[in-house]
Amino acid sequence: MTRYREICTELAGRIGAGDLAEGAELPAVRELAHRFGTTASTIGRAVRALADAGVIVTADRRRTRVAPGGAVAARRFLHGERVFRLAGSDDPALDVVLRGLGRAVRSIGTEGSFGGLQAVRQGRADGAAVHLLHHNGRYNAPFARGLLHGLRPHLIHLWRREQGLLVPPGNPRDLASAADLAGLRVAKRRFGTGTRVLLDRLLREAGLDPDALAGPETGSHLETALSVASGVVDTGLAVRSVARDLDLGFVPLVSEEYDVVLPGAALDAAAALVAALLDPATRAAVTALGGYDTSEAGKVEDLDT
């Protein structure tokens, strides 16, 4: 490793660890050269490399500061070759984000929220996309704390999303809530998925027996939409975005938090995902799908604090 790369690694490591906070001013080039025992030109090369990576910003020749989002950029600079293995829940917007990340994130299968959490617990995945409401009224965090106890559990916030009933255009059965589903054929997601848990909870709250509901199981939100659009079922629970894709009506029922659960050791591997979530263009692409609120996208929450 060349000397300038060693300097990049040390500075990025301090920024990624939070020793140099966002907006903090770095020492002048001459001072850094003296501190590292090297030349001003070598320091200049290191500064340019970190600036190109979005870790620092140079306002003029004399002042260099840690960039907004510099800690995330530093982790990506240091660990950009690592692959983040993601399991868990199905979501059309997450598919959009992952397509732009190439090999940085590898999906190991949409096993649903429960299956994703189990995969992380067993070490088969680095993170799981989940949307599970705990009985205490909090989404996702209680499950992360419980299953990743001792592993520094974190959440990467993705977005809030609308889930509701997909219906034919014009909502011919005038469906308004889960209480209206008795006697209908309803597409149901598989057991272990957050959407199936949500549907069963809404049915129980409406005084209906989830096991008495007729209809096929589907493997994704899109498959649910296809079932409604083709007339195989009367309705199904899914995210708003797939309703628009197939010209279906949508009856909103809940707004839920959709996050990635991961242990602290996987944060470095997740740096590319976090950087994408903070990118305005990525947020705009997700919002354009309909039914998504990306205002908290990319926020990382340490659940041990």
Side-chain angles (χ1 to χ4, degrees):
M1 183 182 294
T2 60
R3 183 62 176 141
Y4 97 92
R5 190 72 184 183
E6 291 174 349
I7 295 167
C8 285
T9 298
E10 181 168 333
L11 290 175
R14 292 186 61 195
I15 293 169
D19 295 339
L20 292 171
E22 180 178 315
E25 186 172 347
L26 271 65
V29 169
R30 290 182 182 275
E31 183 178 344
L32 285 173
H34 177 74
R35 186 175 300 179
F36 284 103
T38 189
T39 64
S41 61
T42 298
I43 295 297
R45 187 178 181 188
V47 167
R48 287 193 299 274
L50 292 175
D52 289 344
V55 179
I56 59 176
V57 290
T58 53
D60 53 47
R61 291 185 178 182
R62 295 186 177 182
R63 291 188 300 174
T64 301
R65 297 183 183 276
V66 178
V72 173
R75 289 195 185 106
R76 189 173 186 180
F77 178 83
L78 292 169
H79 307 286
E81 75 286 351
R82 290 186 59 180
V83 175
F84 185 70
R85 299 169 299 160
L86 181 63
S89 172
D90 161 60
D91 184 76
L94 185 56
D95 291 342
V96 170
V97 175
L98 297 186
R99 281 199 295 270
L101 285 172
R103 297 180 179 178
V105 179
R106 177 166 64 88
S107 175
I108 67 166
T110 53
E111 303 176 66
S113 294
F114 286 174
L117 287 171
Q118 185 176 19
V120 175
R121 176 74 176 181
Q122 295 173 342
R124 296 184 291 112
D126 300 305
V130 300
H131 56 112
L132 295 170
L133 180 63
H134 195 263
H135 62 74
N136 68 7
R138 176 83 193 272
Y139 273 96
N140 304 327
F143 298 95
R145 287 192 180 100
L147 292 176
L148 300 182
H149 179 70
L151 298 175
R152 293 194 300 127
H154 285 69
L155 291 183
I156 298 173
H157 293 283
L158 295 175
W159 35 74
R160 291 194 69 90
R161 65 180 194 177
E162 284 185 278
Q163 287 238 58
L165 298 175
L166 304 182
V167 295
N171 191 6
R173 293 183 179 273
D174 198 26
L175 302 183
S177 71
D180 300 325
L181 300 184
L184 301 183
R185 285 187 58 78
V186 180
K188 300 168 289 187
R189 296 294 302 281
R190 296 177 183 135
F191 286 107
T193 64
T195 299
R196 180 61 174 268
V197 172
L198 171 61
L199 176 61
D200 288 355
R201 176 170 64 83
L202 293 174
L203 289 168
R204 286 193 299 270
E205 290 174 353
L208 300 178
D209 179 5
D211 294 332
L213 202 65
E217 290 189 348
T218 59
S220 67
H221 290 276
L222 179 57
E223 191 176 331
T224 298
L226 289 168
S227 297
V228 177
S230 64
V232 172
V233 296
D234 299 304
T235 187
L237 188 65
V239 293
R240 179 184 286 274
S241 60
V242 293
R244 191 180 65 175
D245 289 342
L246 291 173
D247 194 29
L248 295 171
F250 181 79
V251 180
L253 296 182
V254 298
S255 175
E256 61 182 10
E257 295 179 25
Y258 190 67
D259 304 313
V260 170
V261 168
L262 72 166
L267 284 172
D268 289 338
L273 173 61
V274 174
L277 294 169
L278 294 171
D279 178 44
T282 301
R283 291 186 175 197
V286 170
T287 302
L289 296 176
Y292 294 98
D293 175 1
T294 62
S295 57
E296 295 291 309
K299 178 182 176 182
V300 179
E301 183 178 356
D302 185 347
L303 299 179
D304 273 347
T305 59

